Amino acid sequence: MTPLPPKPVARAARVSLWRHLKLFRADILSAQPARLYRAWMAEFRTPFFRSVLVNDPALLRLVLRKRPGDFPKSGRIGAGLRPLLGASVFLTNGATWKRQRRIIDPAFEGGRLKDSFAAMRAAADAAVARLAPLAGGAPVEIEPQASHAAADVIFRTLFSIPIEHDTAAATYRAFHAHQRSQPLLNLAAFVRGPRWMPRLHSRETRATARRIRGLIADLVARRAAAIADGSAPPDLATRIMTTPDPESGACFSPEEMVDQVAIFFLAGHETSASSLGWTLYLLATHPEIQARAAAEALAFSGDFSGLSGLKLIRDCTREALRLYPPVPMMVRETVAPERFRDRGLPRRTQVVLSPWHLHRHERFWDAPDAFDPDRWSREEGRASARRAYMPFSAGPRVCPGAGFAMAEAAVLLAALLARYRFAPVEGDVPVPVAHLTVRSKNGIRLRVTPREQLKSCKISGANSCKNSIRAGV
Ligand code: HEM
């Protein structure tokens, strides 16, 4: 029997506040007790803050869909991110946030996905080529490969430049330096100290943020000039920069565009990289499913219309996003007293929404910890998802890049699986931890082997190739 995919060991049921904070600082996932995988709601009280973690679908609907305005993001969440992201759509609330979404959303609408497809394909081909010299040799560190590929997708779709472009490469490097100086998942979002506690950023954090924003400002200025002289390519940046707010008629100022590009890069590349890394690991440890997915990849026509045929590959991504949601928890704040499940909550209570617990919740999912992409073809699996699945959040604040990310995952996986077979390294089991996104504590290493059958496939026709892959060769 295939062992269950790795899951962090939960902490003991009762621990002191200081022990909890210590565990929390090391890793949010293993700092939680196992009862959260069964609870409808759980409350944490400390001298400084009060928070509730909510798994009840009715309460999730209330917070995210029915009255999102009464549960904004707290200013503290943004504290660590503000030097880099300024007033980006990820951090704003109220009227400013609404205006920003009115400008951004049309660029990501389902109908526009087709416009980004060629750039995604080019990034997928480049990812396949980057693996070529490593395949067949020592185990490959998968997370840097996934991160590189996802960053490449963002630069190609936003600015029509590959990751090798000077500014793109410098931005990518600077983001990594920034993350080392400032862990971007800000603990202050969850562990609120007293109000007077200052949130200072180190000089290094401010310097790396300034450097990244300078590089992005340069890209934005060059694009503004190209739009003005009519030579701009029809990519995401051009679409967003030329879309006026339908209410005020104003476009983003250059400064605001820098804020948005910073969040597209951050939200768009870290998350997709996390999802790709875990999906490859899950496929490596489930060779029969990988063989079926590879057969689907080989049958892929390679054009946009063929994407809908990648059903199993999409279900593998959905299942990986269920087991390892890249954004494991989100935090909102009450602006007035509330009653949740007969419990009174004062103003400024932290409301924690946890895809991590919801997606593995024992009341909602059959075999919650198992990797079973076929559950997505069964009614019972789809019913579970309607109640307890939100890797992209939900409601008006849902991730605008959700459709984009699903298409990107399918394109990258199809290209990689058609060319390589992925296998686990004996005894090398990744440990999931929550950094900015859910990553492996010590990396994910896999054996990558070229599918030699591809050569004979080209010579002898697609069917013999598909058959050998179905047989798991
Ligand atoms: C697997 C990939 C992705 C996952 C799992 C993901 C997940 C999420 C989640 C859970 C949120 C809500 C966070 C919160 O409310 O605190 C979010 C917001 C956001 N995401 Fe994504 N995302 C992904 C890819 C992308 C991509 C590719 C882009 C853009 C290129 C993007 C852009 C954004 C933006 C701008 C927001 C802020 C929206 C708002 O607050 O109104 N994401 N994402």
Side-chain angles (χ1 to χ4, degrees):
M1 206 180 93
T2 317
L4 289 175
K7 177 179 178 181
V9 180
R11 71 152 162 85
R14 290 193 174 279
V15 292
S16 71
L17 171 64
W18 294 116
R19 172 88 187 125
H20 182 59
L21 293 181
K22 198 165 164 234
L23 288 166
F24 205 100
R25 188 166 273 280
D27 166 41
I28 304 178
L29 302 181
S30 52
Q32 311 299 336
R35 71 187 158 91
L36 297 189
Y37 295 108
R38 290 183 295 276
W40 295 106
M41 185 170 113
E43 187 173 2
F44 301 92
R45 284 185 199 215
T46 77
F48 303 131
F49 70 98
R50 198 161 158 185
S51 75
V52 280
L53 183 141
V54 171
N55 283 329
D56 179 344
L59 287 175
L60 292 170
R61 253 193 318 278
L62 178 83
V63 172
L64 291 173
R65 295 180 194 273
K66 288 195 184 156
R67 290 172 37 214
D70 294 335
F71 303 96
K73 288 194 173 183
S74 83
R76 298 253 172 205
I77 295 173
L81 297 167
R82 216 167 294 282
L84 179 63
L85 301 183
S88 95
V89 66
F90 192 77
L91 300 179
T92 52
N93 283 309
T96 306
W97 169 80
K98 279 193 186 146
R99 179 178 57 80
Q100 292 173 336
R101 288 292 297 238
R102 284 197 297 269
I103 297 177
I104 288 167
D105 284 359
F108 285 97
E109 266 164 22
R112 308 300 305 250
L113 262 182
K114 197 172 174 196
D115 305 340
S116 297
F117 180 74
M120 287 180 186
R121 282 263 354 237
D125 291 345
V128 167
R130 267 194 303 274
L131 269 184
L134 305 175
V140 176
E141 286 286 353
I142 291 296
E143 285 183 328
Q145 296 288 330
S147 178
H148 208 123
D152 198 18
V153 169
I154 289 289
F155 279 112
R156 286 177 193 262
T157 51
L158 256 179
F159 285 108
S160 303
I161 51 175
I163 187 78
E164 289 78 23
H165 180 282
D166 284 352
T167 315
T171 312
Y172 183 54
R173 277 196 305 273
F175 261 98
H176 282 269
H178 187 75
Q179 279 172 43
R180 276 195 299 276
S181 77
Q182 163 72 47
L184 291 168
L185 183 71
N186 181 23
L187 289 179
F190 297 92
V191 188
R192 205 175 66 202
R195 261 169 191 275
W196 44 262
M197 188 190 278
R199 305 277 150 171
L200 299 177
H201 303 289
S202 73
R203 192 181 303 171
E204 194 192 342
T205 301
R206 278 180 278 128
T208 48
R210 251 199 321 277
R211 169 141 177 77
I212 296 168
R213 290 182 64 85
L215 289 161
I216 296 176
D218 185 42
L219 289 172
V220 168
R222 276 192 263 159
R223 177 52 54 89
I227 291 171
D229 71 21
S231 64
D235 51 22
L236 278 171
T238 300
R239 261 180 266 157
I240 293 170
M241 289 171 72
T242 55
T243 299
D245 169 16
E247 289 191 10
S248 68
C251 290
F252 280 140
S253 67
E255 178 79 357
E256 266 186 307
M257 186 62 191
V258 172
D259 295 345
Q260 312 313 334
V261 171
I263 187 59
F264 293 151
F265 186 77
L266 188 65
H269 114 272
E270 273 280 339
T271 48
S272 292
S274 158
S275 142
L276 180 61
W278 286 109
T279 311
L280 288 173
Y281 175 76
L282 289 165
L283 288 169
T285 46
H286 295 76
E288 284 154 32
I289 298 171
Q290 185 182 169
R292 285 168 52 208
E296 199 176 82
L298 283 161
F300 177 39
S301 61
D303 43 51
F304 185 71
S305 60
L307 264 187
S308 55
L310 299 177
K311 189 178 171 320
L312 177 63
I313 288 184
R314 221 181 11 259
D315 287 346
C316 289
T317 303
R318 285 194 179 114
E319 188 67 346
L321 288 172
R322 184 181 71 79
L323 287 171
Y324 301 102
V327 180
M329 291 180 204
M330 298 171 275
V331 188
R332 300 291 190 267
E333 189 173 74
T334 56
V335 290
E338 297 282 348
R339 264 204 109 59
F340 277 18
R341 295 185 68 87
D342 276 341
R343 202 172 300 187
L345 307 179
R347 196 172 86 83
R348 299 194 81 228
T349 300
Q350 305 273 293
V351 179
V352 180
L353 315 168
S354 174
W356 180 271
H357 292 97
L358 202 61
H359 291 182
R360 291 174 181 257
H361 205 283
E362 292 158 18
R363 293 179 198 263
F364 301 131
W365 296 94
D366 187 30
D369 295 329
F371 176 62
D372 175 14
D374 293 320
R375 75 171 79 232
W376 294 91
S377 310
R378 300 193 293 268
E379 180 41 38
E380 137 257 316
R382 287 196 295 266
S384 303
R386 282 194 290 277
R387 303 182 75 197
Y389 186 67
M390 50 171 204
F392 297 105
S393 186
R397 218 162 180 157
V398 69
C399 171
F404 178 101
M406 288 304 289
E408 169 188 356
V411 172
L412 289 173
L413 280 168
L416 291 167
L417 292 173
R419 185 66 190 275
Y420 303 110
R421 190 176 51 211
F422 296 84
V425 178
E426 175 106 27
D428 193 346
V429 179
V431 178
V433 289
H435 289 152
L436 170 59
T437 54
V438 172
R439 290 304 182 97
S440 165
K441 191 172 180 183
N442 299 310
I444 298 176
R445 279 159 298 280
L446 297 177
R447 291 190 192 286
V448 182
T449 318
R451 287 183 188 276
E452 291 303 334
Q453 294 77 12
L454 276 178
K455 284 186 203 141
S456 60
C457 173
K458 282 209 183 100
I459 300 161
S460 61
N463 278 343
S464 64
C465 182
K466 271 186 244 161
N467 290 340
S468 56
I469 284 169
R470 260 192 211 107
V473 182

